Structure formats: structure tokens, C-alpha cells
Amino acid sequence: MNSRRSWFVFGVGAFLYLAAVLQRTSLGVAGVAAADRFDVTASALSTLAVVQIAVYAAMQIPVGVLIDRFGPRTLMLTGTAVMVVGQCVVAFAPSLTVAVVGRILVGAGDATVFVSLIRLVSSWFSGRIVPQLSQWVGNIGQLGQVLSALPFAWLLRNEGWTTAFVSAASVSALGLLLGFIALRDRPAGAADEHRATNIRVAVRQLVEAFRRPGTQLGFWSHFVTQSSGTVFSLFWGFPFLVFGLGYDQQTAAELLLLLVGAGIVTGPFLGILTARYPLRRSNIVLGIVAAMGVAWGVLLLWPGQPPIAVVMAMLVVIGVGGPGSLIGFDFARTFNPIRSLGAANGVVNVGGFLASFVLIFLIGILLDVQDAVRLGSGGSSDLYSLESFRWAFAVQYVVVGIGVGFLLDARRRTRRRVFADEGIEVGPIWVSLVQAWKHRGDRR
């Protein structure tokens, strides 16, 4: 199955995802320009990113159902076309309201690409290479953030808002053409037995996938690992680096590349670890979350202006959360049959973007509240001060902490179900794990 044709399909699909990430993250380096163009408050400005992520998250489950019914190729091409339209709307938007409509279209189109590509990988490849390719999907896609941080940011500074966003849309337009020519749902001659016969069957498969504790474990793994890096790269990181820390815009854009670099370097290793040590996947997730908590704590508690080395270290650590979140999809693959894998992947992908949506919105509100308090007490308005960002970013500990609690519960229920299915007595966890390993081999 892992033929030359398989790699060609993978390459075109990965380019489509790279283009989707470019559209998604283009707003991350345009926050300052958007504030000047539309002249709005922090919470109002955050709606540009919030509605995009909200639509993306809300679309995941319907998209998963549609993938199981109509196939990933149809969803990828349709979504890419919608993104092109959305970015063109943003490019010519005369007001924040029109720009929000454009970002809604971007979020809706973006919602189709990643989960479709993960399904394509499972259809065109087999064996232990699948979790490693899932990591490479994430790494290649994140190169789209490089395009937004460098050439897109350069165009925005030098050629203006409209030229930059139209240029970004053209990349997805190219991907749409390549995808129409090259993408197929499965290898030639392969049976179409994994596609739901109608929407009712696809919805029933969604319900079954959602009820599986392994799918929920994937959801919460994605929730706790992806959100921090997404919030930083997609919206609040650039204003924090420019206004909170006083870096120039070029330096801030270049620093955001550390998120991408960290993911590219660590992603392949996480893929290998996931494939070789399936019984330790949730521990890897928890280790990544703990490291991110420590990195944020050092930065936020640093007295005065933190050294750039501390900022860079934090960016590297939260950058690991990107490939770390892909472990959630390996849980979905492990605990769901391929006929419902689209729906299961959709459920998992909601996790990180739901957390990101909540965090972006809460950070904007907390910044505005602090600004109002200072004005009410006779102080000056300093909306984007370092101190304001410290308190606003601290809300991550609450949101991610809640997610960790649900993750631990889902892990416990997943292990109970696996052991019960195999007739393994559930006693002390280390005893149960040893029994499961002997009984099931590398199943999990």
C-alpha cells in the first residue's frame, strides 16, 4: 500500500494543509495592523480570531461525519475553495464586521483539511509508519506558519493589507488545483467498504465514536497540548511580543518561528515514541503539559522584563505542544474502526481549538477589564502592558488544569474498558498494565 502513488497523494495533501495553516495563522502577525485598520478594543479585535476558531471547532464533528459519508477528497477541495473566498473577503474588508465574515469562512474551510488528510493517511498507508506520518503532517503543515511569519508579514508591512491577504489566498488556490488533479480517497482497486452508505449511518458511527473512552482520551489530550501554542501563534503572541515586551515587529515575527522549529525537531521523535511505546502515550502528553506549565510560570513570574532567552525557551516548550497534540489522533485511530475514523478525528480535533477559543476570548476580556480598572482609579490606559499580559495569560492554568482532570478520568475509563474487553482483572494500575502488555502486545 505504501507505494510511490501513496507518497504523491501524501505530498499534495500536505501542501493543502500547509496552505490552510498559512490562512489560519495569517491573522497572528496581522493583529497590530488590524488594530490600526479597524480601530477597535482588545476584546472586539479578539473576535476576529475567536469566531474563526469557534467555527473551526464547531465544524469538526459535522466535517467528520461528512468525511465518513462522502470521502476526504471532496471535503478537502470544498474547504480549500471556501478558504480562498474567505481570505479575499478579509483582504478587501472595509470594516471589522466584514472581516469577521471573512474569517468565519476561513475557519469553516480550514476545518475540513486536517481531519481529511489524517483519514487519507490511514487509507493510503498501513503499519507503524502511520503515527509517524501523522507527526509529519503536523510538521509540514506548520511550515505554513513560516510563510505567515516571514513573506506574509513582509508583504503586510511593505505592500499593505489587501496585497498580503490576496497573496495568501493564492497559495490555497494553487493547492486547490493540485488537489483536484492528484487527490483520491483510496488506492485504485481498493474496496469502498469504509464509507458510510448514508448520513444516518454516519451519524450513528459518530455517536459510537464519541462514546468510546479512547476517543474522549484523544479529545482531552488535544485540548491540553495544542491550546497554548495556538493562542500564542494565532493571535495574542504577536501583540505580547511587540507591546508587552517591546520587540520590533520583525523580531516578533521571527520569534514566532521558534514554535514551528520546535515542532519540526520534536515531531518525528514523538511519532517514534508513540509507535514504540503505545502504553506510555498519555504519560508523554502529561509530560508535555507539565513542561509548558513550568515554562509559562518562569516567564510570568519573572521580576520585571524577562530576558529574551526566557522568552525563547518558553516558545520552544509550547511549540512541542503542536506535535504533542497529534497523539490524540493516535488514540482515535487505535480505539475506532476506520469506518468511523473521520468522525472520531473530528471529535479529537475539537479539543485543542475549543480550548483555544475559550482562552483567546478570556485573555481579551481580562486585558480590557484591567484597562477599565486603571482608568477608573485615575491611572493611564496601558492596555497592552507587560503586567496586563501576565494576569491575562495566567488564565491558561485554569482552563488547561480542567482539561488535565478530564484527561485523567478518560484515561482511567479507557484502561478499564480495554482490560474488561480482554478479561483482565483491574487491580493496581502497574499490575494491570503488565497484564495488558503481555496479553495484547502492542495493541495500545
Side-chain angles (χ1 to χ4, degrees), residues 59-125:
M59 288 287 292
Q60 286 306 298
I61 292 177
V63 163
V65 172
L66 293 173
I67 290 171
D68 290 334
R69 174 64 185 93
F70 297 106
R73 178 181 184 270
T74 299
L75 270 294
M76 288 186 80
L77 296 182
T78 303
T80 300
V82 171
M83 274 191 292
V84 172
V85 174
Q87 284 290 68
C88 289
V89 171
V90 174
F92 296 99
S95 66
L96 180 65
T97 301
V98 176
V100 166
V101 172
R103 295 308 286 188
I104 287 174
L105 293 174
V106 171
D110 186 18
T112 67
V113 179
F114 180 76
V115 288
S116 298
L117 182 52
I118 292 295
R119 175 65 180 268
L120 277 178
V121 168
S122 297
S123 297
W124 282 88
F125 295 87

Side-chain angles (χ1 to χ4, degrees), residues 178-233:
L178 293 174
F180 184 81
I181 295 171
L183 292 184
R184 296 294 181 271
D185 287 338
R186 66 196 64 81
D192 195 15
E193 59 185 12
H194 301 309
R195 181 178 294 186
T197 55
N198 55 58
I199 291 295
R200 182 176 297 179
V201 172
V203 171
R204 185 171 68 246
Q205 291 176 176
L206 164 67
V207 174
E208 293 172 354
F210 184 79
R211 288 177 176 174
R212 294 185 181 103
T215 305
Q216 297 170 28
L217 178 58
F219 173 94
W220 292 113
S221 296
H222 200 261
F223 185 100
V224 299
T225 48
Q226 192 212 38
S227 52
S228 186
T230 298
V231 168
F232 202 90
S233 63

Side-chain angles (χ1 to χ4, degrees), residues 2 4 69 72 76 91 108 115 125 134 158 160 181-182 219 249 257 273 312 361 366 391 409 423 441:
N2 302 347
R4 184 176 301 176
R69 174 64 185 93
M76 288 186 80
V115 288
F125 295 87
S134 296
N158 294 280
I181 295 171
F219 173 94
Q249 293 189 30
L257 294 179
L273 290 174
M312 294 173 67
F361 187 65
L366 288 171
W391 287 103
D409 177 69

